[in-house]
Amino acid sequence: MGNRFICMSKKEPKENNGSRSKRVGRSQRKLLAEEEFLHRQALSMALQQHQLSQRFEGSMSRRIGGSTSSRRRNLSDPFSNGKQIPNFLENIKLRKFVLVHGEGFGAWCWYKTIALLEEAGLLPTAIDLTGSGIDPTDTNSVVTLAEYSKPLIDYLENLPEDEQVILVGHSSGGACLSYALEHFPQKISKAIFLCATMVSNGQRPFDVFAEELGSAERFMQDSQFLIYGNGKDKPPTGFMFEKQQMKGLYFNQSPLKDVALAMVSMRSTPLGPIMEKLLLTPQKYGTGRRFFIQTLDDRALSPDVQEKLVRENPPEGVYKIKGSDHCPFFSKPQSLHKILIEITQIP
């Protein structure tokens, strides 16, 4: 569908001594101070959320064990490069972003992305899917993808008919984007899958992770991280990895303070939605403009698996972030921001 993109990044110039170095140093200190302030705010919110979410955790046991793109981008992410985002807003009519988190996460995980997009004059909204973040729903009661995606669907339903948004979905949140594209294609300008489950018709979100987790059948039988919210004699209702497992899978390049934030904020993931096969039609889902961002140091969704996704279900554009783990909103926020800005500017 359409042309796809390969973009190569320029190497960052080395700092020189003198006034330029001092200016860059001041700029870097300012950005770091702003980031620290944002992090403290997010951590405060997460601690409150953690206290709330404790009521909703079920009984938990323990767990298991190339593309044809014509143009791609490799970015190494200098977080503080001293450069301002160009003044491009006069050329952009669409400024609304809706940020959809992945399994276990919540709206809180986008705090850096929200700050950067707002600084650029854009209008981001991060949502909590049902049973996630500070949403009070018991995760064990969320059975279908429709239930899980309801906050996103409600947002799109309430959007005026003449308005559109750009969706960004992380990890298993990609299935929610696909579901939304099937139901509201006219309200979605672009759908950006961030190392996400960009599934094909008839495929389950879990199938994307099968290489790392094994078959769905084996996972349901043998996984040590399944949650039995309705009792051990009933089918499992969710899953959640242990903290050390999460650190290795999701955060191998993320700053320690963001890992700490995640450890007190993440909740279990409902099992039903990721085991549900999606019905996606060419008339609706097929008309959407999809983009995919690959993360090249990802241990949860390997680069090979991501490459397979874009090969089997080609999007309009493909971008790559070098040195990013499964959570580029933590590990490479500036690189992610630059890609989002670039996609926004595509006519």
PDB file of all heavy atoms in Angstrom, residues 9-43:
ATOM      1  N   SER A   9      19.823   8.314   9.348  1.00  0.00           N
ATOM      2  CA  SER A   9      20.114   9.454  10.221  1.00  0.00           C
ATOM      3  C   SER A   9      21.519   9.970   9.989  1.00  0.00           C
ATOM      4  O   SER A   9      22.414   9.238   9.585  1.00  0.00           O
ATOM      5  CB  SER A   9      19.949   9.049  11.683  1.00  0.00           C
ATOM      6  OG  SER A   9      20.897   8.078  11.990  1.00  0.00           O
ATOM      7  N   LYS A  10      21.686  11.263  10.270  1.00  0.00           N
ATOM      8  CA  LYS A  10      23.010  11.858  10.217  1.00  0.00           C
ATOM      9  C   LYS A  10      23.691  11.684  11.545  1.00  0.00           C
ATOM     10  O   LYS A  10      23.077  11.760  12.590  1.00  0.00           O
ATOM     11  CB  LYS A  10      22.889  13.355   9.914  1.00  0.00           C
ATOM     12  CG  LYS A  10      22.295  13.629   8.541  1.00  0.00           C
ATOM     13  CD  LYS A  10      22.200  15.129   8.310  1.00  0.00           C
ATOM     14  CE  LYS A  10      21.598  15.448   6.954  1.00  0.00           C
ATOM     15  NZ  LYS A  10      21.481  16.890   6.729  1.00  0.00           N
ATOM     16  N   LYS A  11      25.000  11.471  11.520  1.00  0.00           N
ATOM     17  CA  LYS A  11      25.744  11.362  12.765  1.00  0.00           C
ATOM     18  C   LYS A  11      25.797  12.713  13.460  1.00  0.00           C
ATOM     19  O   LYS A  11      25.923  13.753  12.818  1.00  0.00           O
ATOM     20  CB  LYS A  11      27.158  10.853  12.513  1.00  0.00           C
ATOM     21  CG  LYS A  11      27.194   9.407  12.048  1.00  0.00           C
ATOM     22  CD  LYS A  11      28.619   8.930  11.928  1.00  0.00           C
ATOM     23  CE  LYS A  11      28.672   7.463  11.539  1.00  0.00           C
ATOM     24  NZ  LYS A  11      30.065   6.986  11.412  1.00  0.00           N
ATOM     25  N   GLU A  12      25.690  12.679  14.753  1.00  0.00           N
ATOM     26  CA  GLU A  12      25.749  13.918  15.518  1.00  0.00           C
ATOM     27  C   GLU A  12      27.174  14.466  15.525  1.00  0.00           C
ATOM     28  O   GLU A  12      28.130  13.725  15.778  1.00  0.00           O
ATOM     29  CB  GLU A  12      25.289  13.675  16.960  1.00  0.00           C
ATOM     30  CG  GLU A  12      23.832  13.308  17.060  1.00  0.00           C
ATOM     31  CD  GLU A  12      22.934  14.426  16.605  1.00  0.00           C
ATOM     32  OE1 GLU A  12      23.238  15.594  16.929  1.00  0.00           O
ATOM     33  OE2 GLU A  12      21.963  14.153  15.920  1.00  0.00           O
ATOM     34  N   PRO A  13      27.353  15.763  15.240  1.00  0.00           N
ATOM     35  CA  PRO A  13      28.710  16.335  15.282  1.00  0.00           C
ATOM     36  C   PRO A  13      29.246  16.360  16.692  1.00  0.00           C
ATOM     37  O   PRO A  13      28.503  16.501  17.658  1.00  0.00           O
ATOM     38  CB  PRO A  13      28.490  17.763  14.756  1.00  0.00           C
ATOM     39  CG  PRO A  13      27.061  18.048  15.069  1.00  0.00           C
ATOM     40  CD  PRO A  13      26.326  16.749  14.913  1.00  0.00           C
ATOM     41  N   LYS A  14      30.566  16.204  16.800  1.00  0.00           N
ATOM     42  CA  LYS A  14      31.205  16.262  18.113  1.00  0.00           C
ATOM     43  C   LYS A  14      31.193  17.684  18.644  1.00  0.00           C
ATOM     44  O   LYS A  14      31.281  18.656  17.908  1.00  0.00           O
ATOM     45  CB  LYS A  14      32.646  15.750  18.019  1.00  0.00           C
ATOM     46  CG  LYS A  14      32.732  14.276  17.663  1.00  0.00           C
ATOM     47  CD  LYS A  14      34.173  13.817  17.649  1.00  0.00           C
ATOM     48  CE  LYS A  14      34.286  12.334  17.347  1.00  0.00           C
ATOM     49  NZ  LYS A  14      35.687  11.877  17.303  1.00  0.00           N
ATOM     50  N   GLU A  15      31.082  17.811  19.939  1.00  0.00           N
ATOM     51  CA  GLU A  15      31.047  19.128  20.565  1.00  0.00           C
ATOM     52  C   GLU A  15      32.429  19.770  20.520  1.00  0.00           C
ATOM     53  O   GLU A  15      33.446  19.121  20.763  1.00  0.00           O
ATOM     54  CB  GLU A  15      30.581  19.005  22.012  1.00  0.00           C
ATOM     55  CG  GLU A  15      29.182  18.428  22.159  1.00  0.00           C
ATOM     56  CD  GLU A  15      28.132  19.359  21.605  1.00  0.00           C
ATOM     57  OE1 GLU A  15      28.467  20.536  21.365  1.00  0.00           O
ATOM     58  OE2 GLU A  15      27.003  18.913  21.411  1.00  0.00           O
ATOM     59  N   ASN A  16      32.477  21.068  20.241  1.00  0.00           N
ATOM     60  CA  ASN A  16      33.721  21.828  20.264  1.00  0.00           C
ATOM     61  C   ASN A  16      33.783  22.624  21.556  1.00  0.00           C
ATOM     62  O   ASN A  16      32.766  22.929  22.189  1.00  0.00           O
ATOM     63  CB  ASN A  16      33.772  22.794  19.075  1.00  0.00           C
ATOM     64  CG  ASN A  16      33.820  22.038  17.761  1.00  0.00           C
ATOM     65  OD1 ASN A  16      34.495  21.025  17.659  1.00  0.00           O
ATOM     66  ND2 ASN A  16      33.096  22.544  16.755  1.00  0.00           N
ATOM     67  N   ASN A  17      34.989  22.991  21.941  1.00  0.00           N
ATOM     68  CA  ASN A  17      35.164  23.824  23.119  1.00  0.00           C
ATOM     69  C   ASN A  17      34.689  25.236  22.818  1.00  0.00           C
ATOM     70  O   ASN A  17      34.590  25.661  21.678  1.00  0.00           O
ATOM     71  CB  ASN A  17      36.626  23.839  23.544  1.00  0.00           C
ATOM     72  CG  ASN A  17      37.065  22.479  24.051  1.00  0.00           C
ATOM     73  OD1 ASN A  17      36.262  21.750  24.621  1.00  0.00           O
ATOM     74  ND2 ASN A  17      38.339  22.143  23.839  1.00  0.00           N
ATOM     75  N   GLY A  18      34.441  26.024  23.853  1.00  0.00           N
ATOM     76  CA  GLY A  18      34.081  27.409  23.649  1.00  0.00           C
ATOM     77  C   GLY A  18      32.622  27.676  23.917  1.00  0.00           C
ATOM     78  O   GLY A  18      31.918  26.913  24.562  1.00  0.00           O
ATOM     79  N   SER A  19      32.140  28.809  23.324  1.00  0.00           N
ATOM     80  CA  SER A  19      30.793  29.276  23.639  1.00  0.00           C
ATOM     81  C   SER A  19      29.730  28.311  23.172  1.00  0.00           C
ATOM     82  O   SER A  19      28.704  28.133  23.836  1.00  0.00           O
ATOM     83  CB  SER A  19      30.567  30.646  22.996  1.00  0.00           C
ATOM     84  OG  SER A  19      30.714  30.540  21.590  1.00  0.00           O
ATOM     85  N   ARG A  20      29.946  27.670  22.003  1.00  0.00           N
ATOM     86  CA  ARG A  20      28.942  26.737  21.497  1.00  0.00           C
ATOM     87  C   ARG A  20      28.764  25.574  22.464  1.00  0.00           C
ATOM     88  O   ARG A  20      27.645  25.134  22.758  1.00  0.00           O
ATOM     89  CB  ARG A  20      29.327  26.205  20.128  1.00  0.00           C
ATOM     90  CG  ARG A  20      28.299  25.238  19.554  1.00  0.00           C
ATOM     91  CD  ARG A  20      28.706  24.789  18.139  1.00  0.00           C
ATOM     92  NE  ARG A  20      27.736  23.857  17.629  1.00  0.00           N
ATOM     93  CZ  ARG A  20      27.743  22.554  17.870  1.00  0.00           C
ATOM     94  NH1 ARG A  20      28.683  22.046  18.655  1.00  0.00           N
ATOM     95  NH2 ARG A  20      26.827  21.750  17.355  1.00  0.00           N
ATOM     96  N   SER A  21      29.885  25.084  22.997  1.00  0.00           N
ATOM     97  CA  SER A  21      29.823  23.984  23.955  1.00  0.00           C
ATOM     98  C   SER A  21      29.062  24.400  25.209  1.00  0.00           C
ATOM     99  O   SER A  21      28.279  23.633  25.763  1.00  0.00           O
ATOM    100  CB  SER A  21      31.237  23.530  24.313  1.00  0.00           C
ATOM    101  OG  SER A  21      31.224  22.526  25.284  1.00  0.00           O
ATOM    102  N   LYS A  22      29.279  25.628  25.662  1.00  0.00           N
ATOM    103  CA  LYS A  22      28.585  26.115  26.847  1.00  0.00           C
ATOM    104  C   LYS A  22      27.091  26.229  26.594  1.00  0.00           C
ATOM    105  O   LYS A  22      26.274  25.882  27.447  1.00  0.00           O
ATOM    106  CB  LYS A  22      29.159  27.470  27.273  1.00  0.00           C
ATOM    107  CG  LYS A  22      30.594  27.378  27.778  1.00  0.00           C
ATOM    108  CD  LYS A  22      31.114  28.756  28.163  1.00  0.00           C
ATOM    109  CE  LYS A  22      32.565  28.667  28.658  1.00  0.00           C
ATOM    110  NZ  LYS A  22      33.096  29.999  28.982  1.00  0.00           N
ATOM    111  N   ARG A  23      26.718  26.737  25.367  1.00  0.00           N
ATOM    112  CA  ARG A  23      25.296  26.855  25.052  1.00  0.00           C
ATOM    113  C   ARG A  23      24.626  25.498  25.034  1.00  0.00           C
ATOM    114  O   ARG A  23      23.537  25.314  25.566  1.00  0.00           O
ATOM    115  CB  ARG A  23      25.112  27.568  23.716  1.00  0.00           C
ATOM    116  CG  ARG A  23      25.409  29.054  23.738  1.00  0.00           C
ATOM    117  CD  ARG A  23      24.844  29.731  22.505  1.00  0.00           C
ATOM    118  NE  ARG A  23      25.377  29.161  21.278  1.00  0.00           N
ATOM    119  CZ  ARG A  23      26.486  29.581  20.671  1.00  0.00           C
ATOM    120  NH1 ARG A  23      27.193  30.574  21.213  1.00  0.00           N
ATOM    121  NH2 ARG A  23      26.908  29.025  19.544  1.00  0.00           N
ATOM    122  N   VAL A  24      25.297  24.529  24.388  1.00  0.00           N
ATOM    123  CA  VAL A  24      24.739  23.180  24.329  1.00  0.00           C
ATOM    124  C   VAL A  24      24.646  22.574  25.716  1.00  0.00           C
ATOM    125  O   VAL A  24      23.680  21.907  26.076  1.00  0.00           O
ATOM    126  CB  VAL A  24      25.582  22.282  23.395  1.00  0.00           C
ATOM    127  CG1 VAL A  24      25.103  20.834  23.473  1.00  0.00           C
ATOM    128  CG2 VAL A  24      25.496  22.788  21.958  1.00  0.00           C
ATOM    129  N   GLY A  25      25.680  22.847  26.554  1.00  0.00           N
ATOM    130  CA  GLY A  25      25.659  22.330  27.916  1.00  0.00           C
ATOM    131  C   GLY A  25      24.482  22.881  28.704  1.00  0.00           C
ATOM    132  O   GLY A  25      23.806  22.148  29.425  1.00  0.00           O
ATOM    133  N   ARG A  26      24.238  24.203  28.562  1.00  0.00           N
ATOM    134  CA  ARG A  26      23.101  24.800  29.254  1.00  0.00           C
ATOM    135  C   ARG A  26      21.786  24.225  28.761  1.00  0.00           C
ATOM    136  O   ARG A  26      20.878  23.945  29.535  1.00  0.00           O
ATOM    137  CB  ARG A  26      23.125  26.328  29.078  1.00  0.00           C
ATOM    138  CG  ARG A  26      24.200  27.022  29.900  1.00  0.00           C
ATOM    139  CD  ARG A  26      23.932  28.513  29.963  1.00  0.00           C
ATOM    140  NE  ARG A  26      24.004  29.138  28.654  1.00  0.00           N
ATOM    141  CZ  ARG A  26      25.106  29.640  28.122  1.00  0.00           C
ATOM    142  NH1 ARG A  26      26.247  29.604  28.812  1.00  0.00           N
ATOM    143  NH2 ARG A  26      25.094  30.197  26.922  1.00  0.00           N
ATOM    144  N   SER A  27      21.698  24.044  27.423  1.00  0.00           N
ATOM    145  CA  SER A  27      20.480  23.480  26.835  1.00  0.00           C
ATOM    146  C   SER A  27      20.241  22.070  27.325  1.00  0.00           C
ATOM    147  O   SER A  27      19.120  21.686  27.661  1.00  0.00           O
ATOM    148  CB  SER A  27      20.587  23.486  25.305  1.00  0.00           C
ATOM    149  OG  SER A  27      19.478  22.855  24.722  1.00  0.00           O
ATOM    150  N   GLN A  28      21.324  21.299  27.413  1.00  0.00           N
ATOM    151  CA  GLN A  28      21.194  19.915  27.871  1.00  0.00           C
ATOM    152  C   GLN A  28      20.752  19.870  29.329  1.00  0.00           C
ATOM    153  O   GLN A  28      19.880  19.085  29.704  1.00  0.00           O
ATOM    154  CB  GLN A  28      22.511  19.176  27.696  1.00  0.00           C
ATOM    155  CG  GLN A  28      22.438  17.702  28.090  1.00  0.00           C
ATOM    156  CD  GLN A  28      23.691  16.950  27.730  1.00  0.00           C
ATOM    157  OE1 GLN A  28      24.602  17.516  27.150  1.00  0.00           O
ATOM    158  NE2 GLN A  28      23.741  15.691  28.065  1.00  0.00           N
ATOM    159  N   ARG A  29      21.365  20.735  30.163  1.00  0.00           N
ATOM    160  CA  ARG A  29      20.976  20.760  31.572  1.00  0.00           C
ATOM    161  C   ARG A  29      19.512  21.159  31.739  1.00  0.00           C
ATOM    162  O   ARG A  29      18.794  20.614  32.578  1.00  0.00           O
ATOM    163  CB  ARG A  29      21.882  21.716  32.350  1.00  0.00           C
ATOM    164  CG  ARG A  29      23.296  21.182  32.586  1.00  0.00           C
ATOM    165  CD  ARG A  29      24.024  22.009  33.612  1.00  0.00           C
ATOM    166  NE  ARG A  29      24.227  23.380  33.191  1.00  0.00           N
ATOM    167  CZ  ARG A  29      25.264  23.807  32.473  1.00  0.00           C
ATOM    168  NH1 ARG A  29      26.193  22.950  32.077  1.00  0.00           N
ATOM    169  NH2 ARG A  29      25.378  25.081  32.143  1.00  0.00           N
ATOM    170  N   LYS A  30      19.057  22.099  30.902  1.00  0.00           N
ATOM    171  CA  LYS A  30      17.667  22.538  30.973  1.00  0.00           C
ATOM    172  C   LYS A  30      16.720  21.402  30.610  1.00  0.00           C
ATOM    173  O   LYS A  30      15.718  21.148  31.290  1.00  0.00           O
ATOM    174  CB  LYS A  30      17.445  23.729  30.040  1.00  0.00           C
ATOM    175  CG  LYS A  30      16.012  24.250  30.061  1.00  0.00           C
ATOM    176  CD  LYS A  30      15.853  25.422  29.105  1.00  0.00           C
ATOM    177  CE  LYS A  30      14.404  25.904  29.089  1.00  0.00           C
ATOM    178  NZ  LYS A  30      14.202  27.014  28.132  1.00  0.00           N
ATOM    179  N   LEU A  31      17.051  20.679  29.518  1.00  0.00           N
ATOM    180  CA  LEU A  31      16.203  19.562  29.095  1.00  0.00           C
ATOM    181  C   LEU A  31      16.171  18.457  30.143  1.00  0.00           C
ATOM    182  O   LEU A  31      15.127  17.872  30.424  1.00  0.00           O
ATOM    183  CB  LEU A  31      16.691  19.001  27.757  1.00  0.00           C
ATOM    184  CG  LEU A  31      16.327  19.822  26.515  1.00  0.00           C
ATOM    185  CD1 LEU A  31      17.069  19.287  25.305  1.00  0.00           C
ATOM    186  CD2 LEU A  31      14.832  19.804  26.273  1.00  0.00           C
ATOM    187  N   LEU A  32      17.338  18.180  30.724  1.00  0.00           N
ATOM    188  CA  LEU A  32      17.398  17.145  31.750  1.00  0.00           C
ATOM    189  C   LEU A  32      16.593  17.548  32.978  1.00  0.00           C
ATOM    190  O   LEU A  32      15.928  16.711  33.601  1.00  0.00           O
ATOM    191  CB  LEU A  32      18.845  16.857  32.128  1.00  0.00           C
ATOM    192  CG  LEU A  32      19.681  16.143  31.052  1.00  0.00           C
ATOM    193  CD1 LEU A  32      21.136  16.043  31.484  1.00  0.00           C
ATOM    194  CD2 LEU A  32      19.109  14.759  30.758  1.00  0.00           C
ATOM    195  N   ALA A  33      16.649  18.845  33.330  1.00  0.00           N
ATOM    196  CA  ALA A  33      15.877  19.327  34.469  1.00  0.00           C
ATOM    197  C   ALA A  33      14.384  19.216  34.191  1.00  0.00           C
ATOM    198  O   ALA A  33      13.605  18.821  35.061  1.00  0.00           O
ATOM    199  CB  ALA A  33      16.249  20.786  34.780  1.00  0.00           C
ATOM    200  N   GLU A  34      13.971  19.550  32.953  1.00  0.00           N
ATOM    201  CA  GLU A  34      12.564  19.424  32.586  1.00  0.00           C
ATOM    202  C   GLU A  34      12.131  17.971  32.611  1.00  0.00           C
ATOM    203  O   GLU A  34      11.035  17.637  33.075  1.00  0.00           O
ATOM    204  CB  GLU A  34      12.335  20.027  31.202  1.00  0.00           C
ATOM    205  CG  GLU A  34      12.471  21.542  31.170  1.00  0.00           C
ATOM    206  CD  GLU A  34      12.386  22.104  29.762  1.00  0.00           C
ATOM    207  OE1 GLU A  34      12.403  21.305  28.807  1.00  0.00           O
ATOM    208  OE2 GLU A  34      12.295  23.331  29.616  1.00  0.00           O
ATOM    209  N   GLU A  35      12.999  17.102  32.120  1.00  0.00           N
ATOM    210  CA  GLU A  35      12.671  15.671  32.125  1.00  0.00           C
ATOM    211  C   GLU A  35      12.516  15.159  33.553  1.00  0.00           C
ATOM    212  O   GLU A  35      11.604  14.391  33.861  1.00  0.00           O
ATOM    213  CB  GLU A  35      13.767  14.888  31.402  1.00  0.00           C
ATOM    214  CG  GLU A  35      13.487  13.384  31.350  1.00  0.00           C
ATOM    215  CD  GLU A  35      14.675  12.582  30.871  1.00  0.00           C
ATOM    216  OE1 GLU A  35      15.712  13.186  30.543  1.00  0.00           O
ATOM    217  OE2 GLU A  35      14.567  11.354  30.859  1.00  0.00           O
ATOM    218  N   GLU A  36      13.419  15.606  34.442  1.00  0.00           N
ATOM    219  CA  GLU A  36      13.350  15.169  35.833  1.00  0.00           C
ATOM    220  C   GLU A  36      12.056  15.639  36.481  1.00  0.00           C
ATOM    221  O   GLU A  36      11.409  14.895  37.235  1.00  0.00           O
ATOM    222  CB  GLU A  36      14.559  15.729  36.603  1.00  0.00           C
ATOM    223  CG  GLU A  36      14.637  15.267  38.048  1.00  0.00           C
ATOM    224  CD  GLU A  36      14.867  13.768  38.153  1.00  0.00           C
ATOM    225  OE1 GLU A  36      15.477  13.193  37.221  1.00  0.00           O
ATOM    226  OE2 GLU A  36      14.417  13.184  39.150  1.00  0.00           O
ATOM    227  N   PHE A  37      11.628  16.879  36.169  1.00  0.00           N
ATOM    228  CA  PHE A  37      10.383  17.401  36.717  1.00  0.00           C
ATOM    229  C   PHE A  37       9.198  16.580  36.224  1.00  0.00           C
ATOM    230  O   PHE A  37       8.317  16.191  37.003  1.00  0.00           O
ATOM    231  CB  PHE A  37      10.215  18.864  36.312  1.00  0.00           C
ATOM    232  CG  PHE A  37       8.890  19.456  36.708  1.00  0.00           C
ATOM    233  CD1 PHE A  37       8.604  19.743  38.039  1.00  0.00           C
ATOM    234  CD2 PHE A  37       7.926  19.716  35.751  1.00  0.00           C
ATOM    235  CE1 PHE A  37       7.379  20.280  38.403  1.00  0.00           C
ATOM    236  CE2 PHE A  37       6.704  20.250  36.111  1.00  0.00           C
ATOM    237  CZ  PHE A  37       6.423  20.537  37.436  1.00  0.00           C
ATOM    238  N   LEU A  38       9.186  16.280  34.918  1.00  0.00           N
ATOM    239  CA  LEU A  38       8.110  15.465  34.353  1.00  0.00           C
ATOM    240  C   LEU A  38       8.088  14.081  34.978  1.00  0.00           C
ATOM    241  O   LEU A  38       7.032  13.517  35.248  1.00  0.00           O
ATOM    242  CB  LEU A  38       8.268  15.359  32.837  1.00  0.00           C
ATOM    243  CG  LEU A  38       7.925  16.611  32.033  1.00  0.00           C
ATOM    244  CD1 LEU A  38       8.394  16.460  30.593  1.00  0.00           C
ATOM    245  CD2 LEU A  38       6.431  16.877  32.077  1.00  0.00           C
ATOM    246  N   HIS A  39       9.286  13.541  35.195  1.00  0.00           N
ATOM    247  CA  HIS A  39       9.350  12.202  35.775  1.00  0.00           C
ATOM    248  C   HIS A  39       8.800  12.186  37.193  1.00  0.00           C
ATOM    249  O   HIS A  39       8.094  11.251  37.590  1.00  0.00           O
ATOM    250  CB  HIS A  39      10.790  11.703  35.752  1.00  0.00           C
ATOM    251  CG  HIS A  39      10.908  10.287  36.223  1.00  0.00           C
ATOM    252  ND1 HIS A  39      11.121   9.965  37.545  1.00  0.00           N
ATOM    253  CD2 HIS A  39      10.798   9.118  35.544  1.00  0.00           C
ATOM    254  CE1 HIS A  39      11.157   8.651  37.663  1.00  0.00           C
ATOM    255  NE2 HIS A  39      10.960   8.116  36.477  1.00  0.00           N
ATOM    256  N   ARG A  40       9.102  13.216  37.965  1.00  0.00           N
ATOM    257  CA  ARG A  40       8.583  13.272  39.331  1.00  0.00           C
ATOM    258  C   ARG A  40       7.062  13.337  39.328  1.00  0.00           C
ATOM    259  O   ARG A  40       6.385  12.705  40.150  1.00  0.00           O
ATOM    260  CB  ARG A  40       9.169  14.478  40.081  1.00  0.00           C
ATOM    261  CG  ARG A  40      10.623  14.313  40.491  1.00  0.00           C
ATOM    262  CD  ARG A  40      11.002  15.311  41.575  1.00  0.00           C
ATOM    263  NE  ARG A  40      10.842  16.680  41.125  1.00  0.00           N
ATOM    264  CZ  ARG A  40      11.799  17.402  40.553  1.00  0.00           C
ATOM    265  NH1 ARG A  40      12.991  16.869  40.355  1.00  0.00           N
ATOM    266  NH2 ARG A  40      11.579  18.644  40.184  1.00  0.00           N
ATOM    267  N   GLN A  41       6.504  14.111  38.374  1.00  0.00           N
ATOM    268  CA  GLN A  41       5.055  14.172  38.260  1.00  0.00           C
ATOM    269  C   GLN A  41       4.475  12.810  37.916  1.00  0.00           C
ATOM    270  O   GLN A  41       3.483  12.366  38.498  1.00  0.00           O
ATOM    271  CB  GLN A  41       4.648  15.192  37.190  1.00  0.00           C
ATOM    272  CG  GLN A  41       4.852  16.649  37.613  1.00  0.00           C
ATOM    273  CD  GLN A  41       4.344  17.590  36.552  1.00  0.00           C
ATOM    274  OE1 GLN A  41       4.573  17.393  35.354  1.00  0.00           O
ATOM    275  NE2 GLN A  41       3.647  18.627  36.964  1.00  0.00           N
ATOM    276  N   ALA A  42       5.092  12.146  36.931  1.00  0.00           N
ATOM    277  CA  ALA A  42       4.595  10.841  36.507  1.00  0.00           C
ATOM    278  C   ALA A  42       4.719   9.818  37.622  1.00  0.00           C
ATOM    279  O   ALA A  42       3.841   8.982  37.814  1.00  0.00           O
ATOM    280  CB  ALA A  42       5.355  10.369  35.269  1.00  0.00           C
ATOM    281  N   LEU A  43       5.826   9.879  38.363  1.00  0.00           N
ATOM    282  CA  LEU A  43       6.028   8.927  39.458  1.00  0.00           C
ATOM    283  C   LEU A  43       4.987   9.128  40.549  1.00  0.00           C
ATOM    284  O   LEU A  43       4.449   8.173  41.107  1.00  0.00           O
ATOM    285  CB  LEU A  43       7.435   9.084  40.027  1.00  0.00           C
ATOM    286  CG  LEU A  43       7.833   8.078  41.115  1.00  0.00           C
ATOM    287  CD1 LEU A  43       7.708   6.656  40.608  1.00  0.00           C
ATOM    288  CD2 LEU A  43       9.247   8.351  41.599  1.00  0.00           C
TER     289      LEU A  43
END
